[in-house]
Amino acid sequence: MSQLSTRHLLGIKDITETDIRLILETTTNFKEVINRPIKKVPSLRDITIANIFFENSTRTRLSFELAEKRLSADVVNFSSSTSSVKKGETLVDTVNNILAMKVDMVVMRHGSPGASHFLSRNIKANIVNAGDGTHEHPTQALLDAYSMQEKLGDLTGKKIAIIGDILHSRVALSNIFCLQKLGAEVMVCGPITLLPKYISSLGVKVELDVKKALEWCDVANVLRIQLERQQIKYFPSLREYSLYYGINKKMLRSLNKEIVIMHPGPINRGVELSSDAADSEHSIILNQVENGVAVRMAVLYLLAGIKS
């Protein structure tokens, strides 16, 4: 099978293990492309892609734009802060106006969970979810899985700990779905106030002690505290959070094995991860950034072959 089972990438929950493995295999081909002296291929020539971002983004937006340009697509960038959304225009009207200009694919980030699903029922273009509120961030989970696979090989039976603000993280949910479909064991770790009530129903282990989580895992995927999404205080202070849940080089050295450190970015250095840990030989954080471009090239390339 060389085609995805869906014409949108709305979330990891909505795609199959076969889809995930096809994307990861295609990523390997595109990683070779982006490391050539000439980093461009004509795969999406004559395809127009609109990047529609209703929330701030640096890595994801740049990564998608670079992926699109590496594939020779025509790119349109939209920012809600300078658009008619400020004048009261609805999401569907905004996107339909963009599609009237003959856009083939939409990459969208939105603050409301389910926004990309809603849009997929109302427009004909292929949609890639670049993050919808606290719901899902599928391409981040795919690039995380690819980075782990690159480092550890097949993920079947591997132990992955997701540590930090699980409650407000779209990365955590997508990673859980993706890793479980690839056969990995998943543990979540953080203060009990930052763990969703339903979390154990997802089939993951739950740990409140970060040292025990590090001793258990092969990979620690560390998440930042998402203060911008928190309406109330979930812990006394960042200093206290860092004291109990911050990971540093000394902690990593004290383990009786080597583990891999990951982070989806942006890193709050000195809070969830110290600089000496983030920049250590354990870290593959910059590999994640590089792999993000190749994964997004693979997703766009595969979706472009599926029309309504």
Side-chain angles (χ1 to χ4, degrees):
M1 180 182 173
S2 58
Q3 185 170 293
L4 295 176
S5 64
T6 176
R7 51 184 298 266
H8 307 295
L9 180 60
L10 305 178
I12 300 295
K13 189 177 182 180
D14 305 308
I15 63 175
T16 65
E17 179 194 340
T18 306
D19 290 330
I20 293 170
R21 294 196 183 278
L22 176 59
I23 292 168
L24 299 184
E25 285 166 20
T26 309
T27 297
T28 301
N29 298 328
F30 282 121
K31 184 151 187 197
E32 188 266 320
V33 168
I34 63 173
N35 283 293
R36 292 178 191 167
I38 298 173
K39 300 173 176 64
K40 205 163 188 176
V41 288
S43 306
L44 295 192
R45 190 159 44 198
D46 299 326
I47 297 286
T48 304
I49 303 174
N51 297 317
I52 303 177
F53 279 66
F54 291 86
E55 285 189 323
N56 294 335
S57 172
T58 304
R59 270 157 304 282
T60 302
R61 184 167 185 162
L62 286 175
S63 185
F64 266 112
E65 190 172 345
L66 201 52
E68 291 150 7
K69 289 178 176 178
R70 294 279 188 256
L71 292 166
S72 303
D74 294 318
V75 181
V76 179
N77 287 313
F78 167 94
S79 173
S80 63
S81 61
T82 56
S83 74
S84 293
V85 170
K86 291 290 183 185
K87 301 174 185 175
E89 189 173 64
T90 68
L91 172 61
V92 172
D93 282 342
T94 297
V95 176
N96 275 328
N97 275 295
I98 293 168
L99 294 182
M101 302 173 203
K102 307 306 175 191
V103 168
D104 304 291
M105 196 179 296
V106 171
V107 174
M108 185 176 77
R109 170 168 288 188
H110 200 282
S112 299
S116 56
H117 286 78
F118 169 75
L119 200 60
S120 70
R121 295 192 291 270
N122 288 278
I123 69 168
K124 291 182 178 179
N126 304 90
I127 297 168
V128 180
N129 178 10
D132 57 336
T134 57
H135 181 227
E136 278 218 51
H137 192 352
T139 57
Q140 182 67 46
L142 290 165
L143 75 89
D144 287 347
Y146 184 83
S147 301
M148 291 178 209
Q149 207 169 262
E150 229 181 10
K151 186 79 175 174
L152 303 176
D154 183 19
L155 296 182
T156 304
K158 295 293 189 292
K159 296 177 177 179
I160 318 299
I162 304 171
I163 301 169
D165 185 356
I166 312 297
L167 182 63
H168 300 96
S169 175
R170 51 187 165 220
V171 173
L173 196 58
S174 288
N175 261 272
I176 290 167
F177 291 143
C178 187
L179 292 167
Q180 287 178 334
K181 287 180 181 183
L182 292 173
E185 292 182 55
V186 183
M187 173 186 281
V188 295
C189 175
I192 198 162
T193 53
L194 291 177
L195 298 177
K197 291 178 182 176
Y198 64 81
I199 196 70
S200 56
S201 69
L202 295 178
V204 301
K205 297 177 186 294
V206 178
E207 179 57 68
L208 302 180
D209 186 328
V210 72
K211 289 179 183 175
K212 288 181 182 176
L214 294 175
E215 285 164 1
W216 174 85
C217 72
D218 300 306
V219 178
N221 198 352
V222 187
L223 308 177
R224 73 183 175 87
I225 299 299
Q226 301 205 25
L227 293 172
E228 73 277 10
R229 297 189 192 281
Q230 297 182 11
Q231 305 301 318
I232 60 172
K233 291 198 79 167
Y234 290 88
F235 48 87
S237 67
L238 286 177
R239 184 173 178 274
E240 186 161 322
Y241 178 88
S242 178
L243 190 65
Y244 285 97
Y245 288 95
I247 296 170
N248 56 49
K249 189 78 177 283
K250 185 179 177 182
M251 290 172 70
L252 298 177
R253 283 203 195 104
S254 72
L255 302 175
N256 57 9
K257 61 177 180 177
E258 291 280 318
I259 68 166
V260 177
I261 295 292
M262 301 177 67
H263 196 299
I267 304 170
N268 289 323
R269 289 176 182 259
V271 181
E272 70 270 10
L273 209 53
S274 67
S275 287
D276 60 3
D279 301 329
S280 71
E281 66 280 6
H282 299 271
S283 169
I284 58 167
I285 294 169
L286 291 179
N287 301 63
Q288 289 174 264
V289 177
E290 180 185 349
N291 291 336
V293 177
V295 163
R296 287 165 179 132
M297 287 174 77
V299 167
L300 295 167
Y301 171 77
L302 290 166
L303 287 178
I306 306 171
K307 299 300 175 189
S308 58

